[in-house]
Amino acid sequence: MKKKFSYISFIFIILYFCLFFSKNSYSQTDKVSSNEQAQGYFIAGKTAELKFNYYDALQNYQTALKYDKAAGIYFAIANLQFTLDKPADALSSINSALRISPDDITYLELKAGILRAQEKYDKAAETYEAIIRKKPDYTYGLYSLARMYQHLNKPEKAIVIYEKITDEIGYDFDVLKRMYEIYFQNKDYEKCVETLSAILKIYPFDIAYKKQLAALYVMINRPDEAEQLYTEILIIDPKDKEILTELTKIYFVKNEMDKGFEKFRKILGKDSLSYAEKIQLGEIYYNLIVQDREAITIAKNIFTNVSENYPDKWVPYYFLGAIDIVNKDFDSYTAKFEKALQLADTAKDALLQIGYVYYTQNKITEADDALAKAVRLYPEDFQANYFYGLVLQRKGDEPTAINYFEYALEINPDDVGMLSTLALAYDNQKMYDKSDEAHEKALRLDPESALILNNYAYQLSERGVKLDKALAMSKKSLQKEPKNASYLDTIGWIYYKMKQYEEARSYIMQSLQVNGGSAVVNEHMGDIYNAMGDKDNARKYWQKALDLSPGNEAIKNKLFNI
């Protein structure tokens, strides 16, 4: 359906015409006929534009220019070219308008808009600055300039303008949102709090912003304010589990345990919490320690409370000891572990878990006591035999450790980790056929295991046998983990054994770039340079290896004999 050209539209054209043609001063000597022709084409152009016949409009405007170089005509052309997605042409036209009327804010705004569309934010900022100089209290211009500063990564300039807008016109939602972005980016959390509080004055019942502010309070360690906001939200929606969870965390951080357990009870929809459920809750937070800085405080408070209320249970003491290790409180955790072992007496899980943690902390005597007891009480348990074998291996009694590894494998013959451990132990004891057999079985069970492929390849390279097979396995492991320093060292060492020294040097160098703190890899690099006849570099890397492993007699001999 064609749109009717109304009387109001005609009046608009006349006003538009008067506006732009009045901005041009002509002398009495100008030819009236040229001016009249320009007016005619301009009106025809505006009429076409109002009917959305943009190309007809543009043609009429351009014809009008032939009779009168009026700023208003250039502006109309620029505006239309911009609408037609021709920003370069539009910029040229608006610049022509500004040469005639350089102080016209409407023209300057269009220019700034075109520059923004072209992502020329620095030039757009300059244009908005020109507008503000002419009209300092122009809010839209100020806002636009601040946005340009943000695009230009000049938050310090943007925030000054946003604050000025706020001072002049009061709280504006869009301005406050931008202010919050900048404050948060700059980690000015107190200002973030002020800004979100201002947003809530505009939208006092907005749950999302209440949650955001409460989370911010938690982050900056202001739990009381967070608690108040979360409580307000629960009045609106008492069954909001997300808020119940957050309130639970706050109570536990504040060590208000009764309130925390009460909220957790509501989350579970239970009348009360059992010992097991409280332990489960503590474990949840313990497992979140890596990703949530508050989790360690919460877990410690929960297990402390449970240990006080259930003094005959060993599990809370185990976790409190584990938390000490996370906190690097190495003087305290053994007392808690011993308390747990005392309470647990013959409990298998306590013996295994505490014994293994002792092993990881290199407390071999304590690990031996716990795991030897576990093996004695539970001789058919896979983990008991496996862990005790690791302890014996660490003590230097690898032949006896192998007996426990082999028995563990009898209990669980398809455990790939056990096969890998046993293969390495066999290799250390020069039981090469058994080592290869264990590796081959592990690869049948898990042919894509990068770890097994690498370990098997390295052992073959150390013995200088089946190097082609070792190389193929090493390449496969590197395809899976191309930045693994150990795997890069393995393939480099294989090439060294194959006397392909340039390839060897390249891979060992890559390994050192990933992890330069390995004595073995530095020694390997020294060996490669020595084989290449580069004594200076050989000495340099052997010395690095010796610095990292001062008691290594083999490296000392290499340096002495070079």
Side-chain angles (χ1 to χ4, degrees), residues 71 74-75 91-112 127 134:
Y74 280 115
F75 170 79
L91 186 60
S92 175
S93 298
I94 198 62
N95 280 335
S96 296
L98 284 166
R99 279 192 287 272
I100 299 167
S101 297
D103 296 327
D104 192 292
I105 288 177
T106 305
Y107 298 173
L108 287 166
E109 278 193 331
L110 179 57
K111 179 177 179 177
T127 307
K134 299 175 190 304

Side-chain angles (χ1 to χ4, degrees), residues 262-520:
E262 172 66 15
K263 293 300 178 189
F264 188 64
R265 179 189 69 73
K266 287 185 177 180
I267 292 171
L268 296 181
K270 297 207 166 195
D271 294 331
S272 62
L273 292 179
S274 67
Y275 162 79
E277 287 164 339
K278 290 180 179 180
I279 288 294
Q280 180 186 25
L281 178 61
E283 284 189 73
I284 290 170
Y285 283 111
Y286 178 80
N287 292 327
L288 289 172
I289 285 173
V290 174
Q291 62 195 69
D292 184 348
R293 63 186 179 86
E294 291 179 331
I296 194 164
T297 300
I298 295 172
K300 184 174 182 178
N301 288 344
I302 289 173
F303 288 121
T304 299
N305 178 271
V306 175
S307 71
E308 291 168 352
N309 287 283
Y310 300 87
D312 59 336
K313 301 292 187 180
W314 69 269
V315 175
Y317 291 100
Y318 164 73
F319 277 106
L320 288 170
I323 289 168
D324 283 343
I325 292 173
V326 174
N327 283 329
K328 301 188 178 348
D329 187 358
F330 299 117
D331 295 329
S332 301
Y333 78 91
T334 53
K336 296 182 177 70
F337 279 177
E338 292 308 310
K339 177 71 173 176
L341 288 171
Q342 178 188 339
L343 292 169
D345 191 17
T346 59
K348 181 176 69 173
D349 287 346
L351 294 168
L352 291 177
Q353 291 179 43
I354 292 174
Y356 186 71
V357 174
Y358 274 141
Y359 167 77
T360 63
Q361 296 301 310
N362 207 31
K363 283 189 170 291
I364 301 305
T365 301
E366 291 85 348
D368 195 341
D369 291 342
L371 293 170
K373 186 175 181 179
V375 169
R376 189 167 62 252
L377 293 170
Y378 307 98
E380 302 300 317
D381 185 82
F382 168 78
Q383 284 188 319
N385 285 277
Y386 186 9
F387 292 167
Y388 190 50
L390 292 174
V391 170
L392 292 170
Q393 194 177 45
R394 183 75 60 85
K395 289 173 69 175
D397 188 2
E398 195 163 54
T400 305
I402 285 173
N403 293 334
Y404 284 93
F405 291 153
E406 288 176 337
Y407 191 56
L409 196 62
E410 286 181 29
I411 298 167
N412 192 356
D414 293 337
D415 189 280
V416 174
M418 186 68 262
L419 283 164
S420 177
T421 300
L422 190 53
L424 292 171
Y426 283 143
D427 190 80
N428 291 337
Q429 297 301 309
K430 297 182 169 45
M431 302 165 70
Y432 298 132
D433 289 342
K434 285 193 170 186
S435 177
D436 291 353
E437 182 183 343
H439 273 133
E440 293 290 351
K441 183 177 179 180
L443 285 175
R444 286 195 296 275
L445 292 168
D446 188 0
E448 300 301 315
S449 170
L451 179 64
I452 302 296
L453 289 163
N454 175 76
N455 289 351
Y456 193 10
Y458 187 74
Q459 287 178 0
L460 292 175
S461 71
E462 281 284 88
R463 284 149 41 194
V465 300
K466 301 179 183 177
L467 293 178
D468 289 337
K469 179 175 182 175
L471 183 61
M473 290 191 294
S474 183
K475 286 180 177 178
K476 191 173 180 180
S477 69
L478 270 176
Q479 285 175 353
K480 299 178 180 304
E481 296 184 36
K483 297 298 183 182
N484 188 303
S486 296
Y487 298 178
L488 289 164
D489 174 61
T490 294
I491 195 169
W493 197 236
I494 295 169
Y495 278 121
Y496 169 78
K497 289 299 184 89
M498 298 173 81
K499 301 188 186 314
Q500 298 182 34
Y501 299 129
E502 279 298 337
E503 288 286 346
R505 188 189 67 80
S506 173
Y507 280 106
I508 298 294
M509 184 60 74
Q510 290 179 57
S511 177
L512 288 171
Q513 287 170 350
V514 176
N515 177 21
S518 168
V520 171

Side-chain angles (χ1 to χ4, degrees), residues 184-196:
F184 195 84
Q185 180 184 350
N186 291 336
K187 299 182 179 179
D188 189 345
Y189 299 128
E190 292 300 329
K191 285 288 189 181
C192 286
V193 166
E194 290 179 19
T195 307
L196 284 177

